[in-house]
Amino acid sequence: MGVDLVDCTPDVREQLRLLRDVRFDYPGGVNRAPIDGVLLTHAHMGHYLGLAHLGYEAMHTHGVRAFASERMAGFLEENQPWASLIERGEIVVTEIRPGEAFEPGGGDGGSGGSGVAVTPIVVPHRDELSDTLAFRFKGPRATVLYMPDCDPWHRWQERALEILDSADVVIIDGSFFDGDELPGRDLSKIGHPLVIDTLALLGDRVARGELRVILTHMNHTNPLIEPDSEARARVLDAGFEIAIEGMEIPL
Ligand SMILES: [Zn+2]
Ligand SMILES: [Zn+2]
C-alpha cells in the first residue's frame, strides 16, 4: 500500500516509524522509497524542513514525489539544500493547482491509485516564502479537510466557512487558545484563529453533529496540551476534538 505524508516536519524520522506501512529496511537492502510522496502545505519550518532527512546524508530516497504549488515548487527549486534533493532525484517535484483534484496514487505506478481525490485550496496565511495550501481529501466514506495554518476567521470568514462546510471532518489550526497565553502581544496581529473564536464560529455545527472538528498545530503555550486544563475541558465539552498521535480517520 502506498504512503503519502502531508507535510514533512523536522521530526519526520520518528514519525515515519509510527506508520505501519513504512519499511526502511528489508533483508539484504535498504528501502530508498519508504514513502511515495509528500503533500506540502507551505514553506514554514514545521511543514517542510524534514525534507532534509530524505537527502544524501540521511535516507537518500529515490523518486519520492513532492506535491507543491507553483510558488512552493519554485522555492524548492531555487534554494539549497532542496535544489540538490531535486537534482539527485531524491524528491521529484509535482506541481499541483488550486481547485484541481489529484490522486497521489501510492506505489502502484499510477495504475491503482489511492481512491482518494485530493484538492489543494489556497488559504490566507503569512506568505513570505510560499503561498499556503489546505488539502481536502475525498474518499468513498468521508471528506476530510486539513488546514493547519490560516489567518484569523474575521479576516476571511465567508470564504473560510465555505471551505469548512465542504468537508465532514476538519483538522484545523488550533495554535492559540485565547489572548491570555501571549501577554504583551497585540491580539489583532496574531496570524491564527484563536480557539475561542473557533468554538464560537463552529459550535452550532458541531453541536448539531454536522461537522467533526479536530484541533491541531497547538503552540507550546496553548493550555489545550495540558491534560487537566480548563481550556481542554471546555473544548471537549463543546464536542470538539484535539488531535493526538496515532489518530486514524478512515476515508
Ligand atoms: Zn505557517
Ligand atoms: Zn504551521
Side-chain angles (χ1 to χ4, degrees), residues 113-230:
S114 59
V116 175
V118 185
T119 306
I121 300 166
V122 176
V123 298
H125 180 50
R126 288 190 293 122
D127 284 344
E128 61 280 40
L129 299 177
S130 71
D131 46 8
T132 301
L133 299 178
F135 291 111
R136 188 173 55 221
F137 301 84
K138 189 170 171 32
R141 283 182 283 183
T143 301
V144 177
L145 176 82
Y146 181 69
M147 184 164 69
D149 282 272
C150 65
D151 276 355
W153 306 124
H154 67 87
R155 290 190 203 156
W156 64 303
Q157 187 161 314
E158 204 176 315
R159 171 87 183 116
L161 281 174
E162 228 174 81
I163 295 169
L164 293 161
D165 282 336
S166 72
D168 312 306
V169 183
V170 298
I171 307 168
I172 55 173
D173 187 340
S175 299
F176 302 110
F177 186 72
D178 61 18
D180 292 347
E181 66 192 89
L182 297 165
R185 280 266 297 267
D186 180 353
L187 259 188
S188 68
K189 295 214 170 72
I190 292 177
H192 298 271
L194 298 177
V195 170
I196 49 166
D197 293 334
T198 304
L199 294 177
L201 184 73
L202 301 176
D204 288 348
R205 286 166 168 79
V206 170
R208 288 195 299 261
E210 292 166 7
L211 189 65
R212 194 175 153 196
V213 179
I214 303 168
L215 298 165
T216 189
H217 199 275
M218 272 77 79
N219 195 54
H220 67 281
T221 54
N222 193 323
L224 291 187
I225 61 178
E226 305 296 338
D228 299 318
S229 67
E230 260 174 58

Side-chain angles (χ1 to χ4, degrees), residues 8-15 45-51 53:
C8 198
T9 84
D11 293 331
V12 69
R13 289 182 311 163
E14 292 79 18
Q15 290 167 338
M45 177 190 156
H47 301 268
Y48 82 105
L49 228 54
L51 290 174
H53 289 298

Side-chain angles (χ1 to χ4, degrees), residues 40-126:
L40 296 166
T41 58
H42 65 303
H44 283 163
M45 177 190 156
H47 301 268
Y48 82 105
L49 228 54
L51 290 174
H53 289 298
L54 308 189
Y56 192 63
E57 303 92 334
M59 280 185 243
H60 186 36
T61 54
H62 179 75
V64 171
R65 287 201 284 176
F67 296 93
S69 71
E70 186 182 1
R71 195 169 156 212
M72 181 75 194
F75 172 77
L76 296 173
E77 283 155 5
E78 287 156 25
N79 290 284
Q80 294 292 3
W82 327 112
S84 292
L85 267 79
I86 297 167
E87 273 162 36
R88 288 191 295 256
E90 288 154 347
I91 59 171
V92 177
V93 173
T94 304
E95 237 177 78
I96 49 176
R97 281 177 228 289
E100 286 183 21
F102 65 100
E103 213 170 291
D108 303 322
S111 57
S114 59
V116 175
V118 185
T119 306
I121 300 166
V122 176
V123 298
H125 180 50
R126 288 190 293 122

